[in-house]
Amino acid sequence: MNREFLKSMDGLTDETIDKIMAENGRDIQKAQGQLDAVKAELKSAKETITTITGELQTLKDSNADAEHWKGKFEELQKDVAAKEQAEKEEKARLEREENIKERYNAVCVDKDGNPLEWAHDAIRADYLKRFTDAIADEANTGKSDGEIFHALTKDDGAAFKRVQPDVHLKGAGPIGGAADELAAAKAVMGIK
């Protein structure tokens, strides 16, 4: 998600954009770690190919028969194809996850476009999983991401941080243990 796209949306302040970009940065770092793992697997596959190529050269040098050579070559082809398929599937999975995270972050905003403040990161992660499952559910076909998110969170009053109003009682002050403050507090409550 880029900053220019977010700036083009009505109602998003620079502070909100910074929060969204910071949140996406964490997701991108996680995806980068997964990509690094895939790169390490690819490097291992290349080393395997190099090893097998060396074995093939040894067979060639030892005048191995054609069937033995053919068997090793077919085995190598299968191994390479399997690793390429695994890499392709991993890349597709990462792209799907990133797409869902972008859609999720787009609906995790209040009516003013500000990112929602989750009560805990574990709750946010749980709702991301629920949102992912709900998108895949055929019962939600035709529903917007916002409708799905609202259906998931509408009855959960503990999912988000709430702003607590400041309550000021007339004549009441902070209770710090001082006798006059204690007496003032008791007077407000009607206690002698």
Side-chain angles (χ1 to χ4, degrees), residues 117 119 157-168:
E117 292 188 51
F160 307 102
K161 291 181 182 177
R162 301 278 189 239
V163 176
Q164 299 296 324
D166 289 333
V167 178
H168 297 284

Side-chain angles (χ1 to χ4, degrees), residues 107 131 143-151:
V107 296
F131 182 76
K143 291 183 181 178
S144 72
D145 291 349
E147 290 172 321
I148 293 171
F149 182 75
H150 176 71

Side-chain angles (χ1 to χ4, degrees), residues 3-185:
R3 184 173 288 280
E4 283 68 37
F5 170 74
L6 292 173
K7 283 184 178 180
S8 70
M9 298 178 75
D10 291 333
L12 290 180
T13 64
D14 286 336
E15 181 180 317
T16 302
I17 291 171
D18 290 341
K19 288 179 182 178
I20 291 170
M21 294 299 290
E23 185 64 34
N24 281 335
R26 281 187 271 180
D27 294 338
I28 290 170
Q29 288 175 349
K30 182 179 177 185
Q32 183 64 41
Q34 292 170 336
L35 180 60
D36 290 343
V38 170
K39 285 180 180 179
E41 288 179 28
L42 181 59
K43 181 180 178 186
S44 173
K46 286 181 180 180
E47 290 171 356
T48 301
I49 291 171
T50 302
T51 301
I52 292 176
T53 303
E55 290 176 11
L56 291 175
Q57 186 61 43
T58 302
L59 288 174
K60 184 179 177 184
D61 292 345
S62 67
N63 293 324
D65 66 358
E67 285 303 314
H68 189 68
W69 170 270
K70 181 180 173 187
K72 284 285 192 178
F73 182 72
E74 288 172 352
E75 184 181 315
L76 175 63
Q77 283 183 317
K78 286 178 186 177
D79 187 44
V80 168
K83 288 183 180 183
E84 286 176 350
Q85 182 63 29
E87 181 182 334
K88 183 179 175 182
E89 290 171 1
E90 179 66 12
K91 182 179 177 185
R93 184 188 66 78
L94 289 173
E95 287 173 356
R96 272 192 314 274
E97 283 182 5
E98 187 60 32
N99 177 279
I100 289 174
K101 285 177 187 174
E102 286 179 12
R103 291 170 62 181
Y104 180 68
N105 288 334
V107 296
C108 290
V109 294
D110 63 18
K111 64 183 178 181
D112 298 326
N114 298 319
L116 296 172
E117 292 188 51
W118 293 92
H120 194 278
D121 285 337
I123 295 171
R124 181 183 190 285
D126 181 56
Y127 272 105
L128 174 59
K129 182 182 179 326
R130 290 183 195 183
F131 182 76
T132 302
D133 293 343
I135 288 173
D137 187 352
E138 290 181 14
N140 292 321
T141 302
K143 291 183 181 178
S144 72
D145 291 349
E147 290 172 321
I148 293 171
F149 182 75
H150 176 71
L152 292 172
T153 60
K154 68 181 178 183
D155 296 326
D156 190 350
F160 307 102
K161 291 181 182 177
R162 301 278 189 239
V163 176
Q164 299 296 324
D166 289 333
V167 178
H168 297 284
L169 299 175
K170 186 177 180 178
I175 300 176
D180 57 332
E181 290 177 356
L182 184 58

